[in-house]
Amino acid sequence: MNINRIQRLLTAIVVILGLFALVHAAIAAPKADHQNGQKLLGENIKTNGNHVIHKKGPYTTSVEVKDGKVAGVHVKHAKKGDVPVKKYKTNKNMAQAAGSQFTSFLSSQDQYLGTVWIGYAYVDDYGYETIYWFPYDMILDGITGAIDYVPAY
């Protein structure tokens, strides 16, 4: 009788510890901050040069435009200087997925159905990834150097 109680108690402790580990992993996993680069850049796509599109704490993101196309995305930390930027590609509009808009509320221009999306990402000091998404046709060098984006849910 005593052995059964000890066995049940140990099983319960293992299960509870396992649940805490799962909850901790879910909380600790950094999420990506998806930004619509096309909207942030706006009319600046018509003007060659570097355009600041976003500031997040000590990070400043700028887009280099050449002949109406995005030639690159650069991120600079106020104290550490240039930050590495990773290039992604996907068939899903991740910038739209970040919001909670229903498709019926979006104009057809905003939907870009069936296109490839190119994302430029950096990771901040806390491990959070910020990604700026652009439709493929806005990118000067297309998918060159881009890796498949796999969201971490």
Side-chain angles (χ1 to χ4, degrees):
M1 193 63 105
N2 233 356
I3 294 176
N4 284 341
R5 279 189 174 170
I6 293 173
Q7 186 177 15
R8 278 187 261 160
L9 180 62
L10 288 175
T11 302
I13 290 172
V14 168
V15 168
I16 290 171
L17 289 175
L19 287 174
F20 278 125
L22 285 174
V23 168
H24 178 69
I27 292 171
K31 301 282 184 186
D33 178 20
H34 299 280
Q35 298 288 326
N36 187 328
Q38 179 184 18
K39 286 189 180 180
L40 291 172
L41 184 57
E43 291 297 311
N44 287 327
I45 191 70
K46 298 175 182 176
T47 309
N48 286 346
N50 283 314
H51 306 282
V52 173
I53 62 166
H54 194 231
K55 290 187 178 190
K56 182 178 174 186
Y59 296 91
T60 302
T61 303
S62 62
V63 174
E64 183 180 343
V65 175
K66 183 177 180 186
D67 300 326
K69 300 276 188 175
V70 174
V73 173
H74 308 284
V75 179
K76 191 166 240 171
H77 188 278
K79 294 179 182 174
K80 300 177 183 177
D82 291 334
V83 175
V85 175
K86 188 184 295 187
K87 189 175 178 182
Y88 290 120
K89 63 182 174 181
T90 186
N91 290 326
K92 296 180 182 176
N93 185 347
M94 299 307 296
Q96 182 179 324
S100 59
Q101 289 182 310
F102 292 103
T103 307
S104 60
F105 295 130
L106 298 172
S107 70
S108 60
Q109 290 177 328
D110 290 339
Q111 291 182 31
Y112 270 90
L113 298 174
T115 192
V116 173
W117 292 86
I118 304 297
Y120 294 90
Y122 74 93
V123 178
D124 68 14
D125 294 330
Y126 303 104
Y128 291 100
E129 187 172 45
T130 301
I131 309 172
Y132 301 93
W133 293 101
F134 299 89
Y136 172 82
D137 60 354
M138 285 185 70
I139 308 298
L140 183 65
D141 63 352
I143 59 173
T144 304
I147 60 171
D148 288 328
Y149 179 68
V150 179
Y153 292 106

